[in-house]
Amino acid sequence: MTEPLLDIRNLGVRYGAIRAVKGLDLHIHAGEHVTLIGANGAGKTSTLRALTGLIAASEGELRFAGRSLHGMPAHQRLRLGLAMVPEGRGVFARMSVEENLHAGAYLRRDPDAVAAQIDEILGWFPHLKRRFKQPAGLLSGGEQQMLALGRALLSQPRLLVLDEPSMGLAPTMVERIFETIAEVCRRGMTLLLVEQNARLALQVTERAYVLDSGQVTLSGQSRALLDDPQVRAAYLGD
Ligand SMILES: Nc1ncnc2c1ncn2[C@@H]1O[C@H](COP(=O)(O)OP(=O)(O)OP(=O)(O)O)[C@@H](O)[C@H]1O
Ligand SMILES: [Mg+2]
């Protein structure tokens, strides 16, 4: 078996006395689409923050693309191909849509390919095309989510990490965003998706981890979890 693209072992995250993540093991092979689901406060965002370098892990080992991430700053992890769309999106509010998209591509040296990819993203999200020259802060929540996703894709990540892309969005917006995520996956992107909407998350991924109070309580094929009575009762509202 080849080494996974991402290998997290025994991850611990603390905020002072609070242990938000405890002994988490998670791996993703290149080309896999994996979701991490769990209730509010389960430790999903904390896991992603430790992965992308926004906070330091208190315990454990993180390896990505054959390298240890120990002590590596966030911008260097991005260079290695770890791109995250954070909870709440984090677009640059005073920059235009166009500038935000170019910011995603700042490490690239292929302007023609960048321009072609921006065209493609605008084709997926016509909302962004209409507001191309406007400040991103004027966009609706759904439009900002589209922009943040487009910006992350423009960095050509090896692993795309999404934290709650459906949060606060109208159903039609959620549908649009998830159609795009599915298309990006079909083209071979490796995905780690964190989602409150567990049903949706299990539908667009092949493998899943269930996090409860900072610990993985269940993992397996997404399809099997969709049928699991405990998962259905706890996370799918059945
Ligand atoms: N900056 C922080 N300082 C102190 N405690 C924090 C901080 N961020 C998160 N926590 C705590 O850590 C635990 C895990 O939070 P986390 O944000 O990782 O959960 P989550 O699974 O992403 O939840 P949600 O679904 O609500 O986004 C919670 O108990 C939370 O209150
Ligand atoms: Mg969260």
Side-chain angles (χ1 to χ4, degrees), residues 44 53 77 79 131 151-152 226:
K44 305 179 297 294
R77 297 186 197 200
R79 262 174 205 272
R131 297 185 172 269
R151 190 179 64 187
L226 269 175

Side-chain angles (χ1 to χ4, degrees), residues 189-203:
M189 181 65 74
T190 309
L191 175 73
L192 175 55
L193 170 68
V194 161
E195 249 302 327
Q196 279 279 322
N197 187 333
R199 187 182 305 278
L200 206 49
L202 293 171
Q203 282 166 348

Side-chain angles (χ1 to χ4, degrees), residues 15 18 20-21 38-47 49 87 163-164 194 196 211:
Y15 302 100
I18 299 171
V21 180
N40 290 122
K44 305 179 297 294
T45 296
S46 300
T47 300
R49 285 194 191 130
E87 211 173 24
D163 194 356
E164 308 263 12
V194 161
Q196 279 279 322
L211 199 58

Side-chain angles (χ1 to χ4, degrees), residues 62-161:
L62 295 142
R63 290 183 64 77
F64 180 70
R67 306 257 305 259
S68 168
L69 298 180
H70 189 81
M72 190 187 287
H75 65 88
Q76 209 174 325
R77 297 186 197 200
L78 180 63
R79 262 174 205 272
L80 270 188
L82 248 176
M84 173 158 86
V85 177
E87 211 173 24
R89 298 139 204 149
V91 300
F92 304 120
R94 297 169 77 166
M95 281 165 54
S96 69
V97 168
E98 179 179 23
E99 288 163 340
N100 268 275
L101 290 171
H102 278 285
Y106 83 102
L107 290 170
R108 292 175 60 176
R109 295 290 172 266
D110 51 351
D112 292 348
V114 168
Q117 194 179 354
I118 288 178
D119 275 350
E120 181 177 46
I121 289 165
L122 296 178
W124 288 339
F125 301 132
H127 289 86
L128 297 184
K129 194 170 189 169
R130 288 197 286 276
R131 297 185 172 269
F132 199 52
K133 302 284 181 190
Q134 293 184 15
L138 298 181
L139 300 179
S140 73
E143 290 165 347
Q144 288 189 27
Q145 186 67 53
M146 292 170 184
L147 179 57
L149 178 58
R151 190 179 64 187
L153 292 173
L154 277 157
S155 73
Q156 296 186 306
R158 298 180 71 174
L159 175 65
L160 178 65
V161 181

Side-chain angles (χ1 to χ4, degrees), residues 183-237:
E183 171 62 20
V184 166
C185 287
R186 275 194 294 276
R187 296 184 183 189
M189 181 65 74
T190 309
L191 175 73
L192 175 55
L193 170 68
V194 161
E195 249 302 327
Q196 279 279 322
N197 187 333
R199 187 182 305 278
L200 206 49
L202 293 171
Q203 282 166 348
V204 300
T205 56
E206 292 95 52
R207 217 152 55 69
Y209 295 83
V210 178
L211 199 58
D212 186 5
S213 305
Q215 291 180 299
V216 173
T217 53
L218 197 62
S219 63
Q221 299 296 313
S222 299
R223 195 170 303 157
L225 294 196
L226 269 175
D227 293 332
D228 183 288
Q230 260 176 300
V231 172
R232 294 179 73 104
Y235 301 104
L236 302 179

